[in-house]
Amino acid sequence: MDLFAATPIPVVPTPTTPPPGEGFDLFSTLMWPFKWLVELILVFWHWLFTAVGMPATAGATWVLSIIGLVIVVRSALIPLFVRQIKSQRKMMEIAPELRKVQEKYRGKKDQLSREAMSRETMALYKKHGTTPVSSCLPLLVQMPILLGMFYTLSDVKKHAEWGVGGVGLLNTELTRQFYDAQLFDVAPLHVNMIDAINQGQTATVIILIILVVLMIASQFITQLQIISKNLSPEAKTGQAYQMQKIMLYVLPLAFIFSGVFFPLGVVMYWFTSNLWTMAQQFVVIRNLPTPGSDAAKQREERLARKGKALDSKGRVIPMEKYQEEQRRLAEEAERARAAAPKRQQPVGKQRAKKKQAPKGGPAKKASTDGSGKPAGPDAAGGSAADGTDGSRPSTTPPKPPKKS
């Protein structure tokens, strides 16, 4: 470990890098185990290629070793990558629901409203089995390993100029071989574009420009696959989608920066890693698309052409079993609707009183005469005795009573 070693003596007349191992560097100390692991994998691939007859100092040997390093590390990170993709997909799916919760409490600054908003948000995360941290955690786990790869390749020039090795199996001799290696026998792996321009290394500049263009194209295609095929219509209306579109055009600027200041060996590693990400993204989107997205519809069409479909649990099954499952689900839904209590229609007060009346109908109100007393049959409808039918009053005056 060169972190606590004395200042070495340079092996070149005018070193262009500061001496390694000066003082205590907390970041280098934290990165030490990851750099040691990266050097182990890199040296193993170099030994394997030299064992089959390739020159130890050839640029092709070290480039293939870098590619082998990327393959091993990225293969080990596949489970984390798939988990990250699923977490990001779930966050995009619930974005419309999160936006509704935010709109519900917009402008409410009191403590009770904030607590209620927090509870509803956490309940939404729990329902869908995701959190913002779950989509970032796999990336955080990957970062130390990826940084270990980056710093191991970046430190080759400094270690070679000062005659020291890495932190592990990349000893002084192997470090010098890496430093002397040239891609296509014209482009040193330790030179960046600025140094190549200053030193008039036209071939190195051309190779770096081609690699940077390919890096940008691969990153653009990878990001475009996500926002064009693997997002549901609801997710395309959220703020996360707008950020994805912005990153689609912002990320290439970062690769232009890396292509100018990073050594050729690091740029080669970055380009290979981008190719891996692009292929891995293609496989994930093809086989694990977001429900409702264009990629999901294309997958269903491919399965239908093969006589297959996805069941309710997302498993690929024959079409006959799929149709049988759909019939069963339809029957279960029909039984559930039949067993569910029917909704009662709201009833007004007047209608409720009518329903409470006796079956014979409401009682008729008795007619009264001018004194308020119930009128007799003579006044109401006449009688057989007076010969009237009640349709009009009689014009014959009543006879006086006989004297006894």
Side-chain angles (χ1 to χ4, degrees), residues 143-210:
M143 287 305 296
I145 300 176
L146 300 180
L147 287 175
M149 296 173 63
F150 170 76
Y151 283 107
T152 298
L153 300 178
S154 298
D155 290 342
V156 167
K157 180 179 180 180
K158 177 173 64 177
H159 291 168
E161 289 182 347
W162 290 88
V164 297
V167 299
L169 297 181
L170 192 64
N171 55 30
T172 305
E173 181 181 357
L174 291 174
T175 301
R176 187 67 191 187
Q177 291 178 1
F178 198 144
Y179 180 84
D180 294 335
Q182 295 183 350
L183 181 60
F184 305 129
D185 296 329
V186 293
L189 296 180
H190 68 275
V191 175
N192 58 30
M193 188 175 293
I194 300 297
D195 294 339
I197 293 174
N198 294 334
Q199 298 173 11
Q201 299 179 359
T202 306
T204 304
V205 174
I206 294 175
I207 292 174
L208 282 169
I209 291 175
I210 294 174

Side-chain angles (χ1 to χ4, degrees), residues 57-315:
T57 58
T61 304
W62 285 103
V63 168
L64 291 176
S65 300
I66 293 173
I67 294 174
L69 172 65
V70 172
I71 292 174
V72 171
V73 174
R74 296 302 300 271
S75 298
L77 295 176
I78 285 178
L80 291 177
F81 176 82
V82 174
R83 182 177 177 182
Q84 179 184 355
I85 292 296
K86 291 182 177 180
S87 299
Q88 291 176 348
R89 187 178 69 182
K90 289 182 179 179
M91 287 300 299
M92 290 182 181
E93 289 176 355
I94 67 175
E97 299 181 53
L98 288 175
R99 190 163 57 251
K100 291 180 181 178
V101 174
Q102 294 170 357
E103 290 292 336
K104 180 180 178 181
Y105 295 96
R106 183 180 298 276
K108 298 181 181 179
K109 304 296 183 181
D110 58 287
Q111 185 67 21
L112 293 178
S113 297
R114 291 182 178 181
E115 291 178 356
M117 179 179 175
S118 178
R119 286 195 301 269
E120 292 185 22
T121 302
M122 295 306 297
L124 194 59
Y125 288 149
K126 184 178 181 180
K127 175 183 176 182
H128 292 271
T130 184
T131 60
V133 179
S134 62
S135 61
C136 299
L137 184 60
L139 181 62
L140 295 177
V141 175
Q142 297 179 44
M143 287 305 296
I145 300 176
L146 300 180
L147 287 175
M149 296 173 63
F150 170 76
Y151 283 107
T152 298
L153 300 178
S154 298
D155 290 342
V156 167
K157 180 179 180 180
K158 177 173 64 177
H159 291 168
E161 289 182 347
W162 290 88
V164 297
V167 299
L169 297 181
L170 192 64
N171 55 30
T172 305
E173 181 181 357
L174 291 174
T175 301
R176 187 67 191 187
Q177 291 178 1
F178 198 144
Y179 180 84
D180 294 335
Q182 295 183 350
L183 181 60
F184 305 129
D185 296 329
V186 293
L189 296 180
H190 68 275
V191 175
N192 58 30
M193 188 175 293
I194 300 297
D195 294 339
I197 293 174
N198 294 334
Q199 298 173 11
Q201 299 179 359
T202 306
T204 304
V205 174
I206 294 175
I207 292 174
L208 282 169
I209 291 175
I210 294 174
L211 287 176
V212 170
V213 171
L214 293 175
M215 285 168 55
I216 294 174
S218 59
Q219 180 63 36
F220 183 84
I221 294 173
T222 302
Q223 196 71 14
L224 187 62
Q225 286 179 339
I226 299 176
I227 66 175
S228 64
K229 292 185 177 181
N230 203 37
L231 293 182
S232 62
E234 294 79 9
K236 290 183 179 181
T237 61
Q239 186 176 3
Y241 176 68
Q242 300 300 326
M243 291 299 298
Q244 291 273 3
K245 291 180 65 176
I246 294 174
M247 295 300 294
L248 178 65
Y249 299 99
V250 171
L251 281 180
L253 299 178
F255 286 108
I256 293 176
F257 175 85
S258 64
V260 172
F261 295 98
F262 292 168
L264 178 57
V266 177
V267 175
M268 181 62 67
Y269 144 73
W270 212 296
F271 171 59
T272 307
S273 182
N274 276 2
L275 290 180
W276 179 278
T277 302
M278 183 174 65
Q280 190 171 245
Q281 188 77 59
F282 174 80
V283 174
V284 171
I285 292 176
R286 182 179 176 85
N287 296 282
L288 294 173
T290 301
S293 64
D294 294 338
K297 296 177 182 177
Q298 293 174 2
R299 188 190 183 198
E300 292 174 359
E301 292 175 357
R302 291 195 303 270
L303 291 175
R305 288 194 296 266
K306 297 178 181 179
K308 298 180 180 180
L310 296 174
D311 63 0
S312 57
K313 297 182 180 180
R315 297 174 300 187

